[in-house]
Amino acid sequence: MKILLVEDEPKTGDYLRQGLSEAGFVVDLARDGADGLHLGKTNEYDLANLDVMLPSLDGWQVLAGMRSAGIGIPVLFLTARDRVEDRVKGLELGADDYLVKPFAFAELLARVRTLLRRGTSSKEAELMQAADLQLDLLRRRASRGGRRIDLTAKEFALLELLLRRRGEVLSRSLIASQVWDMNFDSDTNVIDVAVRRLRAKVDDDFEPKLIRTVRGMGYVLEVDSR
């Protein structure tokens, strides 16, 4: 995990960088707001710790610049300014947490880890993956090997179900109820046709094959580990 630390007070910055590094994080330290914003825009970080009172640009300006650039990483403000108005301003600009100086390093570390877990969970909820197949739930897009795959709404829902239940054999009746919201009629082949069309888009031109038929039982999406 990589952290951007923006702190102009030399002793505090060095102390926090050392403590976070010893806790297993990779830390880039910027001594003023302009450098912090530049680093934030040109590097990939998992979290940013920002002081508010900084030379060149204050922490609020750094945060606003990052958010306007589409950088949505968690941000924790570290500041001696403890007025409610200051905390509200930071949160309204898109900060995720606010820690008032002086603070115990153990509390900072706990908050950092909590924000990182939250950020990871959010990313996982937005993106599903198996091998080189990716499903972006927010943008409703599918791709494999970096190549866009055009899916109908039902095909997307079917693929999402298979990914969510990855490694589990799904019966035709379960697929019918979850994707088509209907009771399965053994005389109809709508499920088989839908899976066949999905497989043609997701598997035919790629390796490894992901969607497999289990005779007499249903379908499963899994990555062959052999």
Side-chain angles (χ1 to χ4, degrees):
M1 290 288 188
K2 193 171 182 180
I3 293 177
L4 172 61
L5 173 62
V6 188
E7 171 61 64
D8 65 314
E9 207 287 314
K11 287 185 178 180
T12 301
D14 292 341
Y15 168 73
L16 293 177
R17 176 169 59 182
Q18 180 180 349
L20 289 168
S21 297
E22 290 176 353
F25 299 105
V26 177
V27 183
D28 285 346
L29 173 60
R31 304 288 187 179
D32 64 57
D35 285 346
L37 181 56
H38 175 72
L39 285 174
K41 285 183 173 181
T42 56
N43 294 272
E44 289 191 5
Y45 296 99
D46 298 288
L47 179 139
N49 286 338
L50 305 179
D51 192 8
V52 172
M53 301 303 294
L54 294 166
S56 67
L57 297 174
D58 63 35
W60 291 318
Q61 291 172 305
V62 174
L63 174 60
M66 291 173 63
R67 293 298 189 242
S68 66
I71 300 167
I73 60 172
V75 170
L76 171 61
F77 270 128
L78 310 174
T79 180
R81 302 182 63 152
D82 61 351
R83 295 189 310 159
V84 172
E85 295 91 332
D86 293 330
R87 293 198 295 273
V88 169
K89 181 176 182 179
L91 294 171
E92 287 181 341
L93 285 171
D96 297 270
D97 204 352
Y98 207 107
L99 191 56
V100 177
K101 299 177 180 178
F103 52 80
F105 180 76
E107 182 180 3
L108 166 67
L109 190 58
R111 294 196 185 204
V112 163
R113 286 172 171 161
T114 297
L115 289 175
L116 286 171
R117 282 196 300 270
R118 190 185 306 164
T120 301
S121 299
S122 176
K123 289 177 183 177
E124 289 176 348
E126 295 170 5
L127 187 67
M128 304 179 73
Q129 184 164 349
D132 59 348
L133 170 67
Q134 287 192 336
L135 200 64
D136 188 328
L137 300 181
L138 279 182
R139 296 176 178 84
R140 309 298 289 176
R141 291 177 182 172
S143 64
R144 185 151 189 202
R147 196 164 84 196
R148 177 81 174 269
I149 299 173
D150 291 322
L151 301 176
T152 66
K154 289 299 184 185
E155 288 168 346
F156 191 95
L158 174 56
L159 183 55
E160 181 181 350
L161 175 64
L162 288 165
L163 277 166
R164 288 194 184 280
R165 308 284 284 269
R166 175 177 168 177
E168 180 182 344
V169 178
L170 305 183
S171 67
R172 291 171 176 79
S173 58
L174 186 145
I175 292 172
S177 64
Q178 294 292 315
V179 177
W180 278 267
D181 193 25
M182 68 178 190
N183 293 323
F184 179 70
D185 183 348
S186 59
D187 292 333
T188 181
N189 64 346
V190 62
I191 308 300
D192 301 307
V193 170
V195 173
R196 193 180 311 130
R197 288 175 176 169
L198 179 62
R199 185 183 280 151
K201 294 181 178 182
V202 170
D203 272 347
D204 280 6
D205 296 332
F206 303 94
E207 291 292 342
K209 306 306 181 188
L210 299 175
I211 302 173
R212 187 166 59 88
T213 303
V214 181
R215 292 193 63 178
M217 299 179 66
Y219 299 95
V220 60
L221 186 149
E222 59 185 353
V223 180
D224 193 338
S225 58
R226 291 177 296 177

